[in-house]
């Protein structure tokens, strides 16, 4: 028999009333959820023995009477499915065999093929209009394996269904007019006895109605339509046209089939007749099992699904793995067969899956993401009228139960989803997603209309859960022994746990709740916890009072720091609303501040003493030149600074006093360290006779102090003095911080600097003795040794000692040592040079020694900088040695170079001026000088005038030994004489281009009775005279005006009477120095103080005398 499937009717009023009653009951369960007074009791997923027996029989019956071909991922062997069922229901083999035998003895069900004709496409157009009016005839032919063998062998018949199937078993679809792509979507239930000998037949026909020729001609559109009209005339009136057929063996079909099939022609005229979309499903009716007879199909399938999923979860748990939500092939095959045979719709299967999974989720551990698929399926197919009253009640209860259970998990999320388990955040995120999707469902809105918004429920659950978690933690940290100290430790642990929980909320959980529900978990938890923490901390500090022992002070300090970390997690004061209970909590700890400061200093002092006692005064390494105690001291100071930063006292005035105390203690520790480390050095060096070892220790001590000085210099930064000064600006008087803190620090730095300088001075004194000895030895080396070789012992000594000091001293101390040694060396050289003025050889050696010492102490930029080397003492010594070491000829040549430089710089004509013309004839090697005039001479005679004449000499004389001086005519009583005389000197080119070569014009006042008086001198450099090779020949010789100068050995001009004068051009500076040195050397020659032969001395004396 065949039956059309009818649509569900609307829910009757009694059913709607019953659903409202269930909703009210579910709401009564939901209302207490925000208080979270009790845990939600999950529904049991276990069945009674009677229920399990009926369910097992149903499952066996399903496997034994399976129909159709297998799905790709399903299990083929029925024996494997039976073994799986035995394992899933936990039956013994005897019991399993007994029930299997009972199932085999049950009456077979009635077999039906549920066939749905969906649509067709691209069929033939049989009417004149080019379209057809298609309908289908379908049925099942039984008693044959395959009609006529294969489709190609059997002769196709035009009326397959009508000829092979009884008329009462033939089913017909509706006629779809004028189309080539008809859509029917009609379902038929076709009964069959034996699947092996049954075939499905379908014919498609074009419905023809009786029409007149005139009507058909009106529908004619082309020549092909005319041929159809002629064909219609030949056939019987009202006979339908065959469009195609389809024959399928039932044993070739799957349990569920959904595909397009090609329509077969009856002849080869039109082989392509289009396709037909069909859906098939093998179903049972009148199943002999007790469950099928007594319970709805949906309920039986729900129980079977629940039993198999429960087995899947427990089996994975037994293997120490978590179920991923995928059913095993055996379970998937059994459930598929059962749903197909019971003809359950996709909607009812999704609903059964939802009910089973939502119940099991509350008692078994598996991913909540498994609930998303049935939620989506129910939402997609939801029509409230499709469900019966009990099913609606079950669905409403499942919603309420899962919501309550999910909120209980959220309330206890810290323990249910611990971060120690890697997938906990993902599991919580999945749960929230399921709850969000469930509450968005149309079914949830209709069945649970009075439920509060999910964000509100979750927020209340989080708030209540946070308070419950805090009380559990407080009980966990309850001390075993009563006492304030033990209570403080317990409270500290509690605050640390709360801070850690808030950090986890901020880093991990807050993002999950915000993304899912826009809930700020962190703010909710912080608001609740800060009130609870503040109450307990305030009670504890009040119980402690003002008498704080060292142990209690340590406990209170740790509690204070933990509270600071806790408060730092809260919102910014400018952004939060209202006042926090922990605002101003620092006032509760004010009595403990003296204990904290004393504890900090005591610990630091003990550490410094221990570090010095264990220090062997050995550098830590090649690059680290201080010892272990300096490192420990730096760490100790860093710890003090860290403690100060941890306190960061909010009250500005009190914060200033605390900082003053920290600075005072730090400075005191620095001075204590200096005393201890010096005592340690004396203690260690007392057992060593080696002076080198003592020097090593002294270097380490100095380096340690330098390291300490650097550390102390960072104290303002480490203690944030600038920030403190900004905070206390309105409280303290202007400059009070500068006078207090900076004065303390500068005093300690000055003391450290003095200690460092004292140590460096001690090291320098050891080297100064050696430097002085080597300089003295330098003078005693015989004359035959070159100066460069004579200073080698001194340089080697310095190289060894300075390399040693550079290795053992840090750069700052090494630079200080170099400065001291350089100053001492210059002093020794100056004293030695003063005692050796009579020895040019010794002066030359000292000069070369000074040059090499400068290079040594500079060390290519690694030693003293040039400004530190070139002191006034150095420059004076350098000039003095340059004079003393130079030969007489060199002095004379340098003297004239200086006079030429001075002549070029002289612009004043107060002493008079000489005008000359000069040229050089290279071809004749002749220097021509035309003395034109002199003017503005000083009157040197008593009559107010002078008798001037000019003496011309080429200087220096040792460069022009063969040329005698020339003189002009004498002019009586004339201060502006006009000479107009020409002089020629035969002189080669080379000496004229030497440094210092010049024409000396000496203007004299002729005296008859006494020596001639000097009016002044003028110098013309010979290199500037035109005519030398390489110079251009001028068209006309230029006149040269040379101002007169008046030199003396001391560099100061004198008037005629011998008194010093402030007029005229002074000849001082280098000129005076050269002249003074020459004058002294002339005196030494006269007294026989210069070494060398008398002939040589007489020659030098002659040069000086001529000068």
């Amino acid at each position: 028999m065949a039956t059309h499937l009818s649509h569900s009717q609307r829910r009757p009023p009694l059913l709607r009333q019953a659903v409202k009653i269930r909703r009210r009951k579910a709401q009564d369960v939901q209302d207490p959820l925000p208080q979270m007074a009790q845990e939600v009791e999950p529904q049991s997923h276990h069945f009674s023995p009677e229920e399990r027996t009926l369910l097992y029989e149903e499952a066996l019956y399903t496997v034994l009477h399976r129909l159709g071909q297998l799905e790709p991922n399903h299990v083929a062997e029925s024996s494997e499915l039976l073994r799986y069922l035995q394992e899933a229901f936990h039956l013994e083999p005897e019991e399993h065999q007994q029930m299997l035998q009972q199932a085999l003895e049950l009456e077979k069900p009635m077999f039906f093929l549920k066939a749905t004709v969906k649509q067709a496409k691209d069929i033939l157009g049989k009417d004149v209009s080019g379209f057809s009016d298609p309908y289908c005839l379908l049925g099942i032919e039984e008693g044959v394996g395959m009609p006529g063998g294969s489709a190609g062998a059997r002769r196709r018949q035009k009326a397959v269904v009508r000829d092979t199937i009884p008329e009462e078993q033939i089913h017909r679809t509706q006629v779809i007019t004028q189309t080539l792509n008809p859509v029917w979507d009609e379902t038929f239930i076709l009964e069959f006895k034996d699947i092996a000998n049954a075939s499905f037949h379908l014919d498609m026909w074009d419905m023809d109605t009786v029409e007149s020729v005139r009507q058909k001609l009106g529908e004619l559109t082309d020549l092909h339509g005319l041929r159809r009209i002629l064909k219609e005339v030949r056939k019987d009136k009202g006979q339908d046209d065959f469009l195609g057929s389809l024959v399928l063996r039932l044993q070739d079909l799957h349990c569920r089939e959904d595909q397009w099939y090609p329509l077969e022609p009856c002849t080869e005229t039109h082989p392509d007749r289009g396709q037909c979309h069909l859906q098939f499903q093998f179903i049972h009716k009148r199943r002999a099992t007790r469950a099928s007879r007594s319970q709805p199909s949906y309920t039986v399938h729900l129980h079977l699904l629940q039993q198999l999923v429960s087995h899947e979860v427990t089996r994975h748990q037994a293997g120490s793995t978590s179920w991923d939500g995928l059913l095993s092939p055996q379970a998937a095959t059994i459930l598929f067969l059962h749903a197909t045979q019971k003809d359950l719709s996709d909607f009812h299967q999704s609903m059964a899956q939802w009910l089973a999974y939502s119940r099991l989720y509350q008692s078994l551990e598996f991913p909540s993401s498994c609930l998303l698929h049935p939620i989506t399926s129910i939402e997609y197919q939801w029509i409230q009228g499709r469900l019966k009253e009990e099913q609606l009640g079950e669905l409403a209860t499942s919603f309420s139960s899962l919501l309550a259970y999910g909120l209980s998990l959220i309330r206890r999320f810290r323990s249910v989803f611990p971060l120690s388990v890697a997938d906990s955040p993902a599991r919580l995120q999945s749960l929230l997603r399921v709850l969000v999707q469930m509450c968005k469902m149309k079914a949830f809105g209709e069945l649970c209309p009075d439920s509060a918004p999910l964000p509100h429920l979750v927020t209340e659950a989080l708030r209540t859960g946070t308070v419950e978690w805090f009380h559990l933690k407080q009980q966990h940290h309850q001390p075993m022994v009563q006492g304030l100290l033990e209570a403080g430790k317990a409270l500290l642990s509690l605050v640390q746990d709360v801070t850690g929980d808030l950090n986890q909320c901020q880093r991990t959980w807050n993002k999950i709740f915000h993304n899912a529900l826009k809930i700020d978990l962190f703010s909710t938890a912080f608001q609740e916890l800060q009130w609870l923490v503040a109450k307990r901390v305030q009670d504890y500090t009040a119980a402690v009072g003002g008498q704080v022992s060292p142990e209690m002070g340590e406990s209170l300090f740790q509690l204070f720091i933990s509270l600071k970390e806790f408060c730092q997690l809260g919102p910014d004061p400018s952004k939060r609303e209202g006042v926090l209970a922990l605002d101003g909590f620092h006032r509760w700890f004010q009595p403990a501040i003296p204990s904290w400061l004393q504890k900090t200093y005591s610990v630091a002092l003990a550490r410094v003493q221990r570090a010095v006692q264990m220090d062997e005064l050995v550098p830590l390494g090649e690059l680290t030149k201080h010892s272990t105690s300096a490192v420990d001291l730096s760490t100790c100071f860093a710890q003090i600074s860290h403690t100060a930063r941890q306190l960061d006292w909010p009250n500005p005035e009190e914060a200033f006093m605390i900082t003053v105390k920290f600075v005072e203690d730090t400075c005191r520790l620095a001075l204590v360290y200096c005393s201890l480390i010096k005592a340690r050095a004396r203690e260690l060096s007392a057992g060593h006779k080696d002076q080198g070892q003592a020097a090593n220790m002294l270097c380490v001590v100095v380096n340690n102090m330098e390291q300490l000085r650097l550390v102390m210099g960072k104290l303002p930064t480490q203690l944030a003095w600038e920030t403190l000064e900004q905070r206390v600006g309105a409280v303290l008087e202007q400059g009070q911080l500068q006078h207090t803190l900076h004065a303390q620090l500068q005093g300690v730095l000055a003391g450290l600097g003095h200690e460092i300088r004292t140590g460096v001075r001690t090291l320098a004194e050891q080297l100064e003795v050696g430097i002085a000895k080597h300089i003295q030895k330098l003078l005693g080396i015989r004359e035959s040794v070159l100066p460069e070789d004579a200073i080698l012992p001194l340089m080697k000594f310095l190289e060894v000692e300075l390399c040693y000091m550079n290795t053992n001293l840090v750069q700052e101390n090494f630079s200080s040592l170099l400065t001291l040694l350089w100053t001492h060396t210059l002093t020794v050289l100056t004293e030695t040079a003063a005692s050796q003025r009579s020895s040019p050889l010794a002066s030359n050696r000292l000069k070369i020694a000074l040059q090499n010492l400068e290079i040594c102490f500079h060390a290519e930029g690694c030693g003293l900088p040039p400004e530190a080397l070139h002191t006034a003492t150095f420059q004076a010594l350098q000039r003095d040695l340059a004079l003393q070491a130079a030969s007489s000829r060199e002095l004379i040549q340098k003297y004239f170079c200086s006079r030429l430089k001075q002549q070029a710089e002289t612009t004043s004509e107060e002493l008079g001026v000489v005008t000359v013309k000069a040229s050089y004839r290279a071809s004749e090697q002749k220097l021509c000088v035309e003395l034109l005039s002199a003017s503005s001479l000083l009157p040197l005679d008593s009559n107010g005038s002078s008798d001037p004449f000019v003496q011309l000499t080429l200087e220096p004389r040792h460069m022009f030994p063969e040329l005698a001086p020339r003189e002009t005519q004498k002019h009586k009583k004339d201060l502006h004489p006009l000479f107009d005389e020409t002089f020629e000197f035969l002189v080669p080119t080379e000496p004229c281009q030497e440094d210092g070569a010049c024409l000396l014009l000496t203007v004299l006042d002729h005296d008859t009775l006494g020596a001639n008086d000097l009016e002044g001198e003028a110098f013309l450099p010979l290199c500037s005279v035109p005519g030398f090779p390489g110079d251009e020949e001028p068209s006309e010789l230029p006149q040269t005006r040379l101002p007169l100068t008046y030199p003396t050995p001391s560099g100061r001009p004198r008037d005629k009477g011998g008194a010093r004068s402030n007029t005229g051009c002074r000849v001082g500076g280098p000129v005076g120095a050269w002249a003074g040195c020459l004058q002294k050397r002339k005196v030494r020659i006269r007294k026989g103080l210069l070494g060398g032969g008398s002939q040589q001395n007489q020659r030098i004396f002659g040069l000086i005398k001529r000068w």
Side-chain angles (χ1 to χ4, degrees):
M1 60 178 293
T3 305
H4 264 292
L5 297 182
S6 61
H7 296 289
S8 301
Q9 298 179 354
R10 295 186 61 187
R11 183 185 300 168
L14 290 177
L15 177 58
R16 291 199 297 271
Q17 185 178 359
V19 172
K20 289 182 179 178
I21 294 173
R22 283 180 171 81
R23 287 176 183 166
R24 195 172 299 113
K25 290 181 179 180
Q27 184 63 32
D28 293 339
V29 177
Q30 272 187 333
D31 287 341
L33 283 179
Q35 291 139 15
M36 298 297 173
Q38 296 179 351
E39 296 293 333
V40 176
E41 196 67 34
Q43 300 179 5
S44 174
H45 64 278
H46 299 290
F47 300 104
S48 65
E50 294 79 9
E51 291 175 331
R52 292 178 68 254
T53 301
L54 295 180
L55 198 57
Y56 193 64
E57 180 187 62
E58 179 73 17
L60 294 176
Y61 194 82
T62 299
V63 174
L64 294 175
H65 299 288
R66 63 189 300 181
L67 296 173
Q69 295 293 321
L70 299 173
E71 296 296 327
N73 297 326
H74 287 177
V75 178
E77 297 295 332
S78 297
S79 58
E80 184 178 351
L81 297 178
L82 295 175
R83 285 194 302 270
Y84 175 79
L85 286 174
Q86 179 186 351
E87 179 184 349
F89 282 81
H90 309 289
L91 294 182
E92 297 296 332
E94 297 78 8
E95 187 179 3
H96 167 72
Q97 289 297 330
Q98 181 182 356
M99 296 194 67
L100 178 60
Q101 185 61 35
Q102 293 175 1
L104 289 171
E105 294 174 356
L106 291 175
E107 182 183 355
K108 291 184 178 181
M110 295 181 65
F111 300 135
F112 291 87
L113 177 66
K114 182 179 179 182
T116 301
V117 183
K118 301 292 288 183
Q119 58 183 326
K121 62 181 179 181
D122 301 331
I123 64 175
L124 295 179
K126 291 292 187 177
D127 294 341
V128 176
S129 61
F131 295 98
S132 294
D133 304 323
Y135 68 93
C136 297
L137 298 177
L138 62 154
I140 292 180
E141 178 186 8
E142 293 190 275
V144 294
M146 179 63 192
S150 65
R154 180 187 179 203
R155 188 179 70 83
R156 294 186 176 90
Q157 297 181 3
K158 193 171 187 179
V160 174
V161 174
R162 292 172 178 172
D163 295 341
T164 57
I165 301 176
E167 185 175 355
E168 64 274 9
Q169 298 180 11
I170 297 176
H171 309 283
R172 174 173 174 168
T173 67
Q174 297 179 359
V175 178
I176 309 298
T177 60
Q178 295 299 298
T179 181
L180 299 180
N181 301 292
V183 177
W184 290 285
D185 200 13
E186 297 183 44
T187 301
F188 304 90
I189 306 299
L190 309 177
E191 184 181 0
F192 62 91
K193 296 290 190 297
D194 185 6
I195 192 173
N197 298 319
S199 299
F200 172 79
H201 290 256
L202 180 142
D203 292 344
M204 190 177 296
W205 296 86
D206 172 40
M207 172 68 75
D208 278 344
T209 58
V210 179
E211 295 179 345
S212 64
V213 176
R214 183 187 298 260
Q215 289 174 329
K216 294 181 178 180
L217 288 175
E219 299 174 1
L220 183 63
T221 57
D222 54 11
L223 185 59
H224 187 60
L226 181 59
R227 288 199 295 270
R228 291 198 188 97
I229 293 177
L230 297 178
K231 186 176 180 181
E232 291 286 336
V233 172
R234 291 197 299 272
K235 74 175 184 178
D236 297 335
K237 291 183 179 181
Q239 183 179 358
D240 295 341
D241 292 323
F242 180 74
L243 295 178
S245 64
L246 177 65
V247 180
L248 300 171
R249 292 192 305 176
L250 295 190
Q251 64 182 3
D252 294 336
L253 298 177
H254 292 86
C255 296
R256 284 187 180 181
E257 196 83 50
D258 185 356
Q259 65 177 351
W260 289 85
Y261 296 94
L263 295 174
E264 298 290 340
C266 61
T267 64
E268 300 298 334
T269 306
H270 295 286
D272 187 7
R273 291 181 173 264
Q275 294 178 315
C276 185
H277 183 196
L278 301 175
Q279 291 179 347
F280 298 107
Q281 180 180 341
F282 291 112
I283 63 175
H284 291 176
K285 289 191 176 182
R286 297 184 182 178
R287 289 165 66 94
T289 60
R290 288 171 289 175
S292 296
R293 293 198 305 267
S294 62
Q295 299 177 8
S297 300
Y298 159 78
T299 304
V300 176
H301 186 74
L302 169 62
H303 292 171
L304 180 60
L305 174 62
Q306 189 170 326
Q307 179 66 27
L308 296 185
V309 172
S310 175
H311 170 67
E312 292 285 325
V313 175
T314 54
R315 186 177 66 171
H316 279 79
Q317 289 177 348
S320 299
T321 58
S322 59
W323 187 50
D324 58 0
L326 297 177
L327 292 172
S328 64
Q330 296 86 348
T333 303
I334 295 171
L335 291 173
F336 176 80
L337 291 175
H338 187 265
T340 303
Q341 294 171 9
K342 301 286 283 186
D343 194 19
L344 287 177
S345 65
D346 292 340
F347 175 75
H348 283 84
Q349 291 183 54
S350 298
M351 184 171 170
Q353 187 180 9
W354 161 256
L355 292 175
Y357 280 21
S358 63
R359 291 174 185 173
L360 292 173
Y361 179 73
Q362 299 177 44
S363 56
L364 298 176
E365 184 177 352
F366 64 88
S368 57
S369 57
C370 299
L371 301 171
L372 290 175
H373 174 69
I375 286 178
T376 305
S377 299
I378 293 174
E379 178 68 9
Y380 180 72
Q381 305 175 72
W382 173 251
I383 299 176
Q384 187 172 356
R386 298 175 64 175
L387 297 179
K388 299 178 182 179
E389 177 184 357
E390 291 122 358
Q391 294 173 346
L392 289 172
E394 277 187 315
L395 189 57
T397 302
S398 70
F399 287 154
S400 300
S401 176
L402 183 66
L403 178 59
Y405 180 72
L407 291 176
S408 70
L409 295 182
I410 292 172
R411 193 180 80 249
R412 298 177 291 112
F413 78 91
R414 294 173 175 86
S415 58
V416 176
F417 305 101
L419 285 178
S420 57
V421 180
D423 63 341
S424 290
R427 288 166 49 218
L428 176 59
Q429 191 172 8
S430 177
L431 172 62
L432 292 176
R433 185 181 176 190
V434 168
L435 294 180
V436 169
Q437 294 299 324
M438 183 187 73
C439 293
K440 286 182 179 179
M441 294 173 64
K442 291 180 288 186
F444 182 87
E446 295 176 9
L447 300 179
C448 304
D450 299 329
S451 176
L454 182 61
H456 173 71
L457 294 174
V458 172
T459 301
E460 288 300 319
L462 292 173
R463 182 176 290 109
T464 307
T466 299
V467 175
E468 292 176 354
W469 174 84
F470 179 84
H471 289 298
L472 288 175
K473 283 293 181 182
Q474 187 178 13
Q475 294 177 4
H476 174 72
H477 291 296
Q478 195 69 24
M480 300 295 294
V481 180
Q482 296 300 323
L484 285 177
L485 191 59
E486 289 73 15
K489 294 178 180 178
L491 183 57
L492 173 62
S493 300
L494 178 62
V495 174
Q496 290 174 345
D497 283 352
V498 169
T499 305
D501 177 74
L502 287 176
N503 280 317
Q504 291 181 357
C505 290
Q506 194 172 43
R507 290 194 305 263
T508 305
W509 303 121
N510 200 64
K511 181 179 180 181
I512 294 175
F513 283 97
H514 185 269
N515 291 341
L517 295 166
K518 306 301 180 186
I519 292 176
D520 190 355
L521 166 65
F522 175 78
S523 297
T524 301
F526 183 82
Q527 288 294 335
E528 293 296 327
L529 291 173
Q530 64 98 17
W531 286 103
L532 297 169
V533 169
K535 180 66 172 62
R536 282 146 186 83
V537 173
Q538 191 171 11
D539 292 345
Y540 176 73
T541 53
V544 171
Q547 300 299 325
V548 181
S549 63
E551 295 79 7
M552 183 62 70
E554 177 67 21
S555 178
L556 287 175
F557 181 77
Q558 296 298 328
L559 183 59
F560 175 81
I561 298 303
S562 297
L563 280 179
K564 280 196 63 178
E565 295 176 0
F566 177 86
C567 292
Q568 288 171 357
L569 295 174
D572 188 83
S574 60
K575 298 181 180 179
R576 70 189 184 199
E577 298 179 359
V579 180
L580 297 180
L582 284 174
D583 287 345
F585 75 91
H586 65 280
R587 294 190 296 269
W588 308 336
F589 296 88
Q590 199 167 15
I593 292 179
S595 174
W596 295 348
L597 297 178
Q598 184 59 38
K599 177 72 173 180
T600 303
Y601 177 75
S602 301
V603 171
L605 179 60
R607 186 167 182 175
V608 169
Q609 292 173 342
R610 186 169 57 255
V612 173
Q613 191 62 32
M614 297 177 62
D615 195 352
E616 296 296 330
L617 297 183
V618 177
L620 290 175
E622 183 177 353
L623 300 178
T624 305
K625 299 178 182 180
H626 47 263
S627 61
T628 57
S629 63
V631 177
D632 291 339
L633 187 65
S634 301
T635 307
C636 184
F637 285 178
Q639 185 60 43
I640 294 177
S641 301
H642 177 67
T643 303
R645 290 193 300 271
Q646 282 183 311
L647 279 178
D648 191 21
W649 201 254
N651 183 279
E653 188 172 0
E654 295 174 357
F656 173 72
M657 300 305 298
I658 292 173
T659 305
V660 170
K661 177 61 176 173
F662 276 126
V663 174
E664 179 182 343
D665 291 345
T666 305
C667 295
R668 191 190 313 168
L669 286 173
L671 298 178
V672 169
Y673 175 78
C674 290
S675 301
L676 292 176
I677 199 68
K678 289 192 296 183
R680 180 62 176 169
R682 288 193 296 269
E683 177 186 351
L684 293 177
S685 60
H688 294 278
K689 297 182 178 180
D690 186 7
Q691 294 298 323
Q693 187 68 21
N696 290 343
M697 293 182 184
L698 183 56
C699 289
V700 173
V701 169
V702 172
N703 292 337
N704 287 354
M705 292 182 179
E706 179 64 31
Q707 179 67 18
L708 175 58
R709 189 180 64 83
L710 295 176
V711 172
M712 292 295 295
K714 299 176 182 178
L715 199 60
T717 303
Q718 293 177 343
L719 295 182
W721 286 7
E722 291 185 2
T723 305
L724 178 64
E725 189 171 7
Q726 295 173 1
R727 290 176 57 193
V728 302
V731 180
L732 301 180
E733 296 180 2
Q734 186 176 6
Q736 185 175 354
L737 185 141
Q738 183 78 19
H739 296 156
T740 305
L741 297 181
H742 289 276
Q744 284 185 346
L745 181 60
Q746 293 303 321
V748 171
L749 293 178
L752 289 175
H754 174 72
E755 294 289 347
I756 293 171
R757 288 192 298 272
T758 302
V760 173
R761 164 55 61 190
T762 303
L763 292 172
E765 289 174 355
Q766 299 177 4
L767 298 180
E768 289 172 355
V769 176
I771 293 175
K773 290 181 179 180
H774 282 83
I775 291 177
Q776 292 299 327
K777 290 180 180 179
L778 175 66
L779 303 177
I781 299 176
R782 60 182 182 274
E783 296 182 4
S784 60
V785 178
L786 295 175
E788 291 79 5
D789 296 334
I791 65 171
L792 282 179
L794 172 62
M795 302 311 298
K796 287 182 178 180
F797 169 78
L798 287 175
E799 180 181 2
V800 172
E801 295 298 332
L802 293 182
C803 286
Y804 171 81
M805 291 298 174
N806 188 33
T807 303
N808 290 276
L809 291 176
V810 296
Q811 184 61 41
E812 293 78 4
N813 294 335
F814 181 66
S815 298
S816 300
L817 177 67
L818 288 180
T819 302
L820 293 175
L821 292 178
W822 179 246
T823 303
H824 173 74
T825 302
L826 291 179
T827 302
V828 173
L829 288 175
T830 301
E831 294 174 354
T832 306
S835 63
Q836 299 294 327
R837 290 184 181 277
S838 60
S839 175
L841 177 62
S843 299
N844 188 37
R845 288 180 175 178
L846 293 176
K847 171 188 172 184
I848 295 177
L850 180 63
Q851 294 173 353
N852 285 272
L853 287 172
E854 178 188 6
I855 297 173
C856 176
F857 277 83
H858 182 59
E860 298 180 350
C862 298
L864 295 178
E867 56 270 16
L869 291 170
H870 300 159
T871 61
T873 303
F874 169 80
Q875 294 175 0
L877 178 61
Q878 190 180 39
R879 289 193 302 268
D880 192 16
L881 291 178
L883 293 175
Q884 296 182 32
S887 64
S888 298
R889 290 189 176 186
E890 291 175 344
L891 288 175
I892 293 172
Q893 188 173 0
K894 289 180 180 180
Y895 168 78
F896 282 107
C897 288
S898 299
R899 292 304 302 272
L900 288 173
K901 181 179 180 182
Q902 184 186 17
Q903 182 71 54
E905 295 173 354
T906 301
T907 57
S908 175
E909 297 182 356
E910 294 181 10
L911 299 179
V913 63
V914 177
T915 304
V916 297
K917 286 184 180 181
S919 64
Y920 183 78
R921 300 172 188 171
S923 58
E924 303 176 9
Q925 291 189 345
K926 184 179 295 184
L927 174 66
C928 299
V929 179
E930 183 177 355
L931 183 60
L932 298 178
S933 63
S935 60
S936 303
L937 299 179
L938 295 178
L940 299 181
D941 292 339
S942 59
N943 57 9
S945 182
S946 292
D947 302 327
F949 69 97
V950 179
Q951 187 180 68
L952 293 81
T953 58
L954 293 181
E955 299 291 349
R957 294 289 182 88
H958 63 269
M959 297 173 62
F960 306 98
E962 305 298 331
L963 296 178
R966 310 290 180 87
E967 291 183 357
T968 63
Q969 297 292 327
K970 299 175 180 63
H971 292 250
K972 297 290 185 178
K973 299 180 181 180
D974 191 354
L975 299 179
H976 304 280
L978 182 63
F979 296 107
D980 198 14
E981 298 182 35
T982 301
F983 304 91
E984 293 183 348
F985 300 90
L986 292 176
V987 58
T989 304
E990 290 77 10
C992 295
Q993 294 180 332
E994 292 288 338
D995 292 337
C998 62
L999 173 65
L1000 172 59
L1001 302 171
T1002 306
V1003 181
L1004 300 171
D1005 172 35
H1006 177 70
D1007 285 338
T1008 305
L1009 298 178
N1012 298 326
D1013 295 324
L1014 178 64
E1015 286 276 358
E1017 297 175 332
F1019 298 84
L1020 177 66
L1022 296 184
C1023 61
S1024 65
V1025 174
F1028 287 100
D1031 296 339
E1032 294 183 2
E1033 189 73 25
S1035 58
E1036 183 178 354
L1037 291 177
Q1039 294 183 4
T1040 303
R1041 288 175 62 85
L1042 299 175
L1044 297 180
T1045 60
Y1046 198 104
T1048 64
S1050 63
R1052 295 286 301 277
R1054 297 178 183 270
D1055 58 14
K1056 185 176 180 182
R1060 293 185 182 272
S1061 173
N1062 292 325
T1063 61
C1065 180
R1066 297 186 179 186
V1067 185
V1071 177
W1074 302 123
C1077 187
L1078 285 170
Q1079 183 67 26
K1080 293 174 183 177
R1081 187 162 300 182
K1082 183 173 68 172
V1083 173
R1084 291 199 300 271
I1085 291 175
R1086 284 176 174 171
K1087 294 181 178 181
L1089 298 177
L1090 281 181
S1094 59
Q1095 185 176 0
Q1096 178 184 5
N1097 290 338
Q1098 290 301 322
R1099 185 165 59 251
I1100 295 175
F1101 179 75
L1103 290 172
I1104 297 175
K1105 185 178 179 181
R1106 287 199 302 272
W1107 167 76

